[in-house]
Amino acid sequence: MESIRVVMCLLAILFLQSCGSVKNNRSSKEKMSAYLMTYFKDDTHGLYFALSKDGYTFTDVNNAKPVIAGDTIAEQKGIRDPYIMRGNDGYFYLAMTDLHIYGKQKGYRETEWERPGDKYDWGNNRDLVLMKSKDLIHWSHSILDIDKMYPEWNVGCVWAPELIYDDVKGRIMIYFTMRKAKGKTKLYYAYMNKEFTALETTPEILFEYPDSTKQVLDADITKLPDGRFCMMYVAQENPGGIKMAFSDKINSGYVYQPEQVDFEKKSCEAPNVFQRIGENKWVLMYDIFSVNPHNFGFAETSDFKTFTNLGHFDEGVMKRTNFSVQKHGSVIHLTKKEAELLAKHWNMNFSFDK
């Protein structure tokens, strides 16, 4: 009888813990009240933050000045392609390309590129910049040197890192664009260590494009409500644009679909998908590098099959209040407290209506 009582007590405890876990997960979702956008600019190669209460209108927290200067965190004195992720451990994670494309003009180096262009091609680099924070204000920092870890690959470039938590592996998966020497850019993935300072696994191919003569880059993975994964990415067709591939696994098995899902007449890149808080709607945001001045384009979907064109920043429902010529953005959700604390730190007026 005593053993039965013990078993029943354990089952009751597990049930209550399960209920509490579900409740906490649900309440944390209900607390999300704002949006944070990261981006960079070519003139500074620094990191920028912008906040939004509704997911439509964004305001830069530092009046269109970097929140972190690229020359303070990057080997090449500049960052590009910042991606932010909310971890399941209470931390925020940032991953960025370590590259300054105007390093010679700025006096950071004497050559056009870090290494000879005839051997390593345009925009060659070796590193990624990694950062971690509890409050979006104070950040730890490390450099992930892919070339030093794998010298036999003769790495030509390592660009556009993104992050996603793999529930199966129990680790953050980092995925990025990589070129070996002057070859074609391809998509790779690996798993981070717990400290978010180094790779725990060797990078592997994430997805092979059916036409090996084309370059692919800038992957962005979204976990869908049905458990599948949608990967947006760029195929450098003519024009280059955003395509989708779907898989039941986070790191393999993505099935090619030929259609482009952006609405641009010219080339675009850097897809990022975020969900509208409290809605069964997702926004695809992308960088239209083929227009002058640079701008973002937006499309909206509820099923990842059909998309509605939302136009460009300031040419439709999506608005900017105090910044422009932004590049390669990413968006996450914040709680009211997180958004207000970040705004207060940067002396930004961002209070919610009571």
Side-chain angles (χ1 to χ4, degrees), residues 260-304:
Q260 286 190 192
V261 296
D262 62 86
F263 289 89
E264 304 309 311
K265 295 179 180 179
K266 296 182 179 181
S267 294
C268 59
E269 61 185 6
N272 179 253
V273 175
F274 65 92
Q275 188 174 5
R276 294 209 183 277
I277 295 172
E279 297 185 67
N280 186 41
K281 292 180 180 178
W282 286 261
V283 178
L284 166 62
M285 176 176 71
Y286 49 83
D287 185 333
I288 318 163
F289 66 90
S290 59
V291 297
N292 189 15
H294 284 95
N295 206 345
F296 284 177
F298 300 87
E300 195 171 72
T301 184
S302 295
D303 57 10
F304 286 82

